[in-house]
Every structure is written in structure tokens, then in C-alpha cells.
């Protein structure tokens, strides 16, 4: 009987060693994986890859230029005005929007992200008037 108990203890010790070896290997692999996931290099920002695009908290918005477009160049600053048809008064929507791109029909400007809703609402009521900032 003592022989069987000795064999049982030897079998249990052998399996305990295998279990602990697997547990240590798994913990080491998990630690390596977690460290690799934590120390990921950040993706390059839009401003770093495209200096003519929106920077930081800006959004690019394309506006129609109308039949008599204002001559603009990339980098110019524009004030965007909405005109109320009832009172015939203008309302400044965005001051100093930076021109990102332009063609014959549209001009793309960078506006602050918190002003996008106001620009969308103004565009819903009609076109925006652009005024070149000196």
C-alpha cells in the first residue's frame, strides 16, 4: 500500500510541476502581450502628414462659391456670414476660417469643430457669404 501512495505522490508532484511551468509561461506571455499593447506608437496626426488640412480641433467644410466667386488662395482667411431674409441683417457664423482648397465651384475651409452645427444650420437656411479677412 505504501508503494501505491508513494507512486501517487510522485504522480501528483510531477503534474504540479507541469502545471506551474505552464502557469509561469502563460503569465510571462501575457505580460509581454500587455506591455506590447500598452506601448503602441501613436498614429501620425493629420496636421503632421498634411499641413494644408484641418489642424487639431478643426473640420473641413466645402462651401458653394456662387456665380461671382471671391478670388481666394490656399491659406487665406475668410469670415462666413449668414444673411437673414426677414430682417436683412447679417450674422457672423465663423470668423477667420482658413482656406484649405478651392476650385471654380467650391471653396473648402477649416472651421472649429464646435461651430460645425451653426455652419450646417446656416447652410440649411441658404448660402453663406464669404468675406476675405486682410
Amino acid at each position: 500500500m505504501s508503494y501505491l501512495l508513494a507512486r501517487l505522490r510522485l504522480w501528483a508532484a510531477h503534474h504540479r510541476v507541469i502545471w506551474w511551468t505552464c502557469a509561469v509561461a502563460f503569465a510571462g506571455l501575457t505580460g509581454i502581450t500587455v506591455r506590447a499593447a500598452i506601448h503602441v506608437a501613436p498614429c501620425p496626426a493629420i496636421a503632421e502628414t498634411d499641413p494644408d488640412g484641418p489642424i487639431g480641433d478643426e473640420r473641413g467644410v466645402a462651401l458653394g462659391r456662387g456665380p461671382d466667386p471671391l478670388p481666394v488662395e490656399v491659406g487665406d482667411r475668410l469670415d462666413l456670414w449668414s444673411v437673414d431674409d426677414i430682417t436683412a441683417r447679417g450674422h457672423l457664423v465663423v470668423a477667420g476660417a482658413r482656406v484649405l482648397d478651392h476650385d471654380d465651384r467650391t471653396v473648402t475651409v477649416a472651421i472649429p469643430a464646435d461651430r460645425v452645427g451653426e455652419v450646417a444650420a446656416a447652410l440649411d437656411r441658404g448660402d453663406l457669404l464669404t468675406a476675405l479677412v486682410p
Side-chain angles (χ1 to χ4, degrees), residues 12-24:
H14 174 72
H15 285 291
R16 225 175 295 138
V17 168
I18 292 174
W19 188 90
W20 280 109
T21 304
C22 290
V24 167

Side-chain angles (χ1 to χ4, degrees), residues 88-130:
R89 298 195 65 180
H91 168 70
L92 182 63
V93 180
V94 176
R98 188 168 41 90
V99 176
L100 300 175
D101 193 18
H102 63 88
D103 59 21
D104 295 338
R105 298 179 308 157
T106 61
V107 61
T108 304
V109 294
I111 62 170
D114 61 342
R115 306 293 292 197
V116 172
E118 292 179 39
V119 171
L123 285 172
D124 187 45
R125 292 189 298 268
D127 289 335
L128 287 175
L129 175 73
T130 56

Side-chain angles (χ1 to χ4, degrees), residues 77 79 131-134:
R77 296 285 180 163
D79 286 345
L132 191 58
V133 176

Side-chain angles (χ1 to χ4, degrees), residues 33-77:
T33 306
V34 168
R35 266 186 258 118
I38 290 174
H39 298 294
V40 174
C43 294
I46 293 173
E48 295 172 2
T49 59
D50 185 12
D52 294 331
I55 298 173
D57 199 26
E58 291 181 333
R59 304 295 184 262
V61 177
L63 305 171
R65 293 186 77 178
D68 190 20
L70 183 66
V72 294
E73 295 297 325
V74 173
D76 286 348
R77 296 285 180 163

